[in-house]
């Protein structure tokens, strides 16, 4: 109910997605007359500040060819749970976008939606002194080609003025099949792709830690990045994304050129197509 002094919203209707101009204007118009919205505005300012703190130092890395880009805002506030979340997604836009790209873009939005809502706690009693939890997110990488839609959304979860924990939410969609791609889907069974990626991660780790010795860094793929690491695809390389404090104090984003991976690629898959394929390597795989 929109009133002159207050705004009362049932809990089941509290999530308020700000993804279009009409909704944004409505909130701004009511802000001055609503103490609750003034309080939520301060929350959003806190989320924005946290988002800046978690930004990639050189801004997002974007390669979308001739497509235009625009931002899409998602915002949720649960006042009775002391939880607020927001994300600014960079995505391709245009009235003539191929349907496959539209669907991939929606997959990204839905993935971020589910993540933000999954973190929302139950209502907190007024008698309990609990810090407000905020989540901020933004797109740090976006690559769109004829073959793939690949993006990385970086989310920072914090409370009580803490620095926050970094979570990577990668989404890669094969535009030919319309299916989401996991790392193992890129490679042919029985190939040594894990060793190739592990070598790149170890090299990046040693470079990031002055004085570190090779014996101090794990050698196995899963020991380095887990069994399902965050990854994105770019115009020339596959990148792995390792959050701060996982291996080193800083985030790591080691890249492996397609030329070093195509011999391991699943024939006809996304990696094979992006790397141009190698007929000789394909023959060896078939043998």
């Amino acid at each position: 109910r929109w009133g002159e002094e207050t705004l009362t919203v049932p809990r089941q209707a509290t999530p308020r997605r700000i993804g279009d101009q009409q909704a944004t204007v409505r909130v701004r118009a009511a802000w001055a007359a609503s103490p609750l919205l003034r309080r939520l505005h301060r929350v959003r300012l806190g989320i924005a500040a946290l988002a800046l703190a978690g930004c990639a130092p050189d801004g997002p890395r974007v390669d979308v060819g001739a497509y235009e880009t625009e931002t899409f805002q998602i915002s949720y506030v649960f006042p009775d749970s002391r939880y607020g979340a927001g994300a600014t997604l960079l995505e391709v836009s245009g009235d003539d976008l191929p349907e496959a790209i539209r669907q991939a873009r929606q997959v990204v939005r839905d993935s971020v939606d589910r993540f933000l809502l999954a973190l929302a706690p139950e209502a907190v009693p007024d008698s309990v002194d609990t810090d407000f939890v905020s989540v901020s997110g933004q797109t740090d990488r976006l690559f769109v080609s004829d073959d793939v839609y690949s993006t990385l959304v970086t989310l920072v979860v914090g409370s009580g003025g803490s620095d926050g924990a970094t979570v990577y939410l990668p989404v890669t969609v094969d535009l030919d099949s319309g299916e989401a791609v996991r790392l193992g889907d890129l490679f042919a069974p029985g190939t040594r792709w894990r060793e190739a990626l592990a070598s790149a991660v170890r090299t990046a780790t040693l470079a990031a830690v002055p004085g570190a010795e090779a014996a101090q860094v794990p050698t196995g793929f899963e020991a380095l990045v887990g069994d399902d690491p965050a990854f994105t695809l770019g115009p020339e390389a596959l990148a792995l994304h390792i959050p701060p404090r996982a291996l080193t104090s800083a985030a790591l984003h080691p890249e492996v050129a397609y030329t070093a991976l195509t011999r391991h690629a699943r024939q006809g898959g996304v990696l094979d197509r992006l790397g141009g394929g190698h007929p000789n390597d394909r023959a060896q795989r078939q043998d």
Side-chain angles (χ1 to χ4, degrees), residues 2-93:
W2 292 85
E4 295 181 359
E5 298 298 333
T6 60
L7 169 65
T8 302
V9 184
R11 174 167 174 76
Q12 62 270 23
T14 300
R16 188 167 298 281
R17 177 168 170 163
I18 308 301
D20 57 71
Q21 184 177 3
Q22 181 179 2
T24 304
V25 170
R26 188 182 184 197
V27 168
R28 288 175 179 168
W31 172 76
S34 170
L36 176 57
L37 283 182
R38 286 199 292 271
R39 179 158 57 109
L40 300 190
H41 181 69
R42 290 195 294 271
V43 171
R44 289 195 179 96
L45 291 179
I47 292 174
L50 189 58
L52 291 176
C55 284
D58 300 321
R61 184 181 297 186
V62 180
D63 189 325
V64 296
Y67 293 114
E68 297 180 351
T69 61
E70 65 180 11
T71 58
F72 182 85
Q73 300 284 338
I74 300 176
S75 179
Y76 291 104
V77 177
F78 291 84
D80 55 347
S81 299
R82 301 174 197 174
Y83 172 77
T88 301
L89 306 182
L90 186 66
E91 54 187 32
V92 294
S93 61

Side-chain angles (χ1 to χ4, degrees), residues 197-278:
L197 295 182
S199 176
V201 175
R202 293 189 80 244
T203 300
T205 303
L206 290 168
V209 183
E213 298 180 3
Q216 298 173 322
V217 181
T219 56
F221 178 76
E222 292 187 3
L224 285 165
V225 296
D227 59 354
D228 189 22
F231 79 96
T232 53
L233 301 175
E236 298 179 352
L238 179 152
L240 294 171
H241 306 288
I242 304 168
R245 298 184 288 276
L247 287 176
T248 68
S249 59
L252 296 177
H253 303 276
E255 297 188 355
V256 184
Y258 294 141
T259 53
L261 293 175
T262 48
R263 63 172 51 87
H264 308 297
R266 180 171 59 84
Q267 186 172 357
V270 172
L271 179 60
D272 196 41
R273 302 198 304 272
L274 288 174
H278 291 281

Side-chain angles (χ1 to χ4, degrees), residues 148 171-174 177 179-183 185-186 231 233 270:
V148 69
V171 178
T172 295
V173 178
D174 183 340
S177 66
E179 298 292 329
V181 179
R182 299 184 62 159
L183 186 60
D185 298 335
L186 299 172
F231 79 96
L233 301 175
V270 172

Side-chain angles (χ1 to χ4, degrees), residues 65-161:
Y67 293 114
E68 297 180 351
T69 61
E70 65 180 11
T71 58
F72 182 85
Q73 300 284 338
I74 300 176
S75 179
Y76 291 104
V77 177
F78 291 84
D80 55 347
S81 299
R82 301 174 197 174
Y83 172 77
T88 301
L89 306 182
L90 186 66
E91 54 187 32
V92 294
S93 61
D95 296 333
D96 56 348
L97 284 179
E99 183 60 26
I101 289 182
R102 290 183 183 277
Q103 293 180 3
R105 186 178 65 180
Q106 190 62 46
V107 168
V108 177
R109 294 179 183 179
D110 292 344
S111 297
V112 175
D113 263 336
R114 286 194 296 268
F115 182 89
L116 297 181
L117 288 175
L119 291 183
E122 295 298 321
V124 179
D126 292 337
S127 59
V128 177
D129 185 14
T130 302
D131 290 325
F132 195 94
V133 176
S134 60
V135 183
S136 63
Q138 65 173 24
T139 300
D140 278 336
R141 297 201 181 203
L142 176 62
F143 172 59
V144 182
S145 71
D146 293 337
D147 295 296
V148 69
Y149 193 110
S150 187
T151 188
L152 177 72
V153 179
T154 300
L155 299 131
V156 179
V157 184
S159 65

